[in-house]
Amino acid sequence: MAKIIVTSNPLQGHFAPLAAIASDLVTRGHEVLFYTSARFEEQVRRTGARFTPFAAEVDLDTRDLAALYPEYDELSPFEQANFNNKHLFFEPAPLHDARLQELLVDFPATVVIGELSLLGTLPMALRAPRHQRPLLVQIGISAPTFESADAAPYGPGLPPPTTDEERAAYSDLRARTREMFGEVQKYGEELFRSIGVDFPDFFLNAWATVPDYYLQLTVPSFEYPRGDAPKGFRLIGPVPSGTSAVFERPDWWAELSSDRPVVVVTQGTLANHDLSELVIPTIRALADTDVMVVAATARPDGPDIVRAMLGGDVPGNVRLAGFVPFDELLPLSDVLVTNAGYGGVHTALRHGVPLVVAGQTEDKPEVAARVEWSGTGVNLRTGRPDVAAVRAAVEAVLHQPRYRDRARALQSEILASRPFERIAEIVEQA
């Protein structure tokens, strides 16, 4: 039996796959201590892992960043990325590092498993050689960020280069990207220096190059091939959803098994503060069509907000919901319209469901670009599509078999992957 520390930032899309990994390791007989936000305590305990909370000063409720930082919604997508990297990822790192060192005294883990944004795990790998510390495994819960000659720089959602001219242009863009993130880079270097550690690389590289292993939760058909990936980089496939609370199916659930196609629309668990971005346009686009629309708002007040936005006139073919487990909903669905969250997209593909994606913030342009590249859906290339664009995209995905065929091909690849086994092998070898 191994002792393992698992840790995650307080973001649902980051936490959920780490909870699933922890649950599997507990089932295999390992002793797991989960260090994360206090609001995830109940979910952690359902995995069977021991729970220890973040200190209050770094335990931010990231479900509503605008409430914590009133200026947040006024920032551009790039400014939001800078803000997230600086204040959500780098700034807490020294306190997380100190707490992890304390935990390791009483719980001498041989492996620490984190996720890419919790940078407080990196100092242990930078401070001591491998034989003097736990093995560090980082989980790639979003599209890879590290630089490569075989890919565009991370951020704008550009496809891989296909010509020498594109490669040269991307090389110039990589240099400009480093300049654009220069303030964050300098801040991170100074922060790590304050705890006696030299930060070794551009931070978008270091997330993948510093850990002993960087395990990406996807399959080759969804990720750009790279001949210069870091040594520990592996594509292991997405993990299934972890333990969740009991879901009481609504009265309309049986209607999903009718002959009408089912179109699900969601803005995920993070970027769902303004449901007029994607949920409302999708409802309006499909209001007079022969499909069933499920608006999964992922927030308890979501149905009431949607009703108010529609002036109380909810189309007859629309069903409103707060939280719905996608592993139950998507097997009954034909298309997922989404703002391209990494976990949600992979859950759709696990069930062979093709996509319409419209994402502009965080990692979403990169995820949307991979949907287009893999042939599994239509990329609307905006975070606020108009009604006509949504309708045309949904009709294309419903009526052109190539999207469903590609989604099912990736479904087979995902179901054949063995992410839990590959993680367990690394843990047990350590």
Side-chain angles (χ1 to χ4, degrees), residues 78 82 147 152-156 158 165-185 202-204:
F78 174 74
N82 253 333
E147 296 169 315
Y154 178 85
L158 298 172
E165 290 77 10
E166 285 182 344
R167 287 180 180 275
Y170 284 177
S171 179
D172 292 340
L173 185 55
R174 275 192 292 275
R176 292 202 300 273
T177 300
R178 287 195 176 213
E179 291 176 3
M180 292 169 68
F181 283 115
E183 181 185 348
V184 173
Q185 179 70 23
F202 181 40
F203 72 95
L204 292 180

Side-chain angles (χ1 to χ4, degrees), residues 131-397:
H131 67 279
Q132 294 179 3
R133 59 169 175 82
L135 184 80
L136 177 58
V137 178
Q138 294 288 78
I139 304 298
I141 47 78
S142 182
T145 64
F146 58 84
E147 296 169 315
S148 169
D150 298 324
Y154 178 85
L158 298 172
T162 57
T163 66
D164 290 341
E165 290 77 10
E166 285 182 344
R167 287 180 180 275
Y170 284 177
S171 179
D172 292 340
L173 185 55
R174 275 192 292 275
R176 292 202 300 273
T177 300
R178 287 195 176 213
E179 291 176 3
M180 292 169 68
F181 283 115
E183 181 185 348
V184 173
Q185 179 70 23
K186 181 180 178 181
Y187 176 80
E189 289 174 356
E190 292 175 349
L191 196 70
F192 271 58
R193 196 175 301 119
S194 72
I195 58 173
V197 177
D198 289 331
F199 200 77
D201 198 352
F202 181 40
F203 72 95
L204 292 180
N205 292 336
W207 291 358
T209 57
V210 171
D212 300 294
Y213 287 95
Y214 189 89
L215 307 180
Q216 189 68 40
L217 300 184
T218 193
V219 291
S221 292
F222 194 75
E223 186 48 60
Y224 308 143
R226 294 171 172 84
D228 52 2
K231 182 179 179 181
F233 182 68
R234 307 281 189 278
L235 303 179
I236 65 169
V239 298
S241 298
T243 305
S244 61
V246 175
F247 171 63
E248 184 175 345
R249 292 178 175 178
D251 295 339
W252 46 260
W253 195 265
E255 300 176 52
L256 303 180
S257 299
S258 68
D259 292 334
R260 285 196 294 178
V262 175
V263 178
V264 176
V265 58
T266 185
Q267 289 181 208
T269 58
L270 183 61
N272 62 2
H273 305 298
D274 181 2
L275 296 176
S276 70
E277 291 180 352
L278 185 58
V279 170
I280 297 300
T282 302
I283 290 174
R284 288 176 172 154
L286 304 177
D288 60 347
T289 63
D290 189 25
V291 302
M292 174 70 72
V293 179
V294 178
T297 62
R299 48 185 296 175
D301 58 351
D304 291 337
I305 291 173
V306 171
R307 288 189 192 95
M309 287 181 168
L310 295 172
D313 185 17
V314 180
N317 67 332
V318 174
R319 302 295 176 265
L320 305 178
F323 171 76
V324 183
F326 271 21
D327 279 331
E328 294 193 39
L329 178 59
L330 289 176
L332 305 172
S333 306
D334 297 276
V335 180
L336 176 64
V337 182
T338 172
N339 56 354
Y342 201 70
V345 164
H346 279 87
T347 302
L349 295 177
R350 177 180 293 280
H351 295 289
V353 177
L355 301 126
V356 173
V357 287
Q360 192 173 17
T361 59
E362 297 100 29
D363 60 339
K364 293 174 175 59
E366 289 292 336
V367 181
R370 285 159 172 79
V371 168
E372 183 176 359
W373 177 81
S374 65
T376 56
V378 173
N379 180 9
L380 295 176
R381 303 189 185 189
T382 177
R384 286 186 173 273
D386 60 37
V387 168
V390 173
R391 181 163 179 160
V394 170
E395 288 180 348
V397 173

Side-chain angles (χ1 to χ4, degrees), residues 11-179:
L11 297 150
Q12 181 63 36
H14 296 216
F15 167 79
L18 273 294
I21 290 167
S23 179
D24 178 76
L25 292 169
V26 170
T27 300
R28 294 173 187 271
H30 300 300
E31 188 176 357
V32 178
L33 186 152
F34 208 127
Y35 168 62
T36 190
S37 169
R39 71 183 175 92
F40 291 133
E41 179 174 1
E42 182 181 348
Q43 294 178 62
V44 168
R45 296 198 185 281
R46 285 201 298 266
T47 71
R50 292 167 53 183
F51 171 75
T52 191
F54 285 172
E57 56 264 44
V58 292
D59 195 358
L60 304 178
D61 189 344
T62 54
R63 289 171 291 185
D64 189 357
L65 288 175
L68 292 173
Y69 308 102
E71 73 278 15
Y72 189 80
D73 283 345
E74 303 303 318
L75 301 176
S76 70
F78 174 74
E79 289 170 334
Q80 288 183 353
N82 253 333
F83 185 95
N84 294 343
N85 289 323
K86 184 175 181 180
H87 296 292
L88 303 185
F89 304 157
F90 266 120
E91 190 173 305
L95 286 176
H96 288 316
D97 171 50
R99 182 60 178 142
L100 286 167
Q101 291 184 68
E102 292 173 355
L103 292 175
L104 286 166
V105 173
D106 296 325
F107 188 85
T110 54
V111 180
V112 173
I113 301 177
E115 47 87 8
L116 66 89
S117 73
L118 200 135
L119 301 183
T121 58
L122 299 188
M124 72 175 67
L126 295 170
R127 188 180 285 124
R130 169 67 192 95
H131 67 279
Q132 294 179 3
R133 59 169 175 82
L135 184 80
L136 177 58
V137 178
Q138 294 288 78
I139 304 298
I141 47 78
S142 182
T145 64
F146 58 84
E147 296 169 315
S148 169
D150 298 324
Y154 178 85
L158 298 172
T162 57
T163 66
D164 290 341
E165 290 77 10
E166 285 182 344
R167 287 180 180 275
Y170 284 177
S171 179
D172 292 340
L173 185 55
R174 275 192 292 275
R176 292 202 300 273
T177 300
R178 287 195 176 213
E179 291 176 3

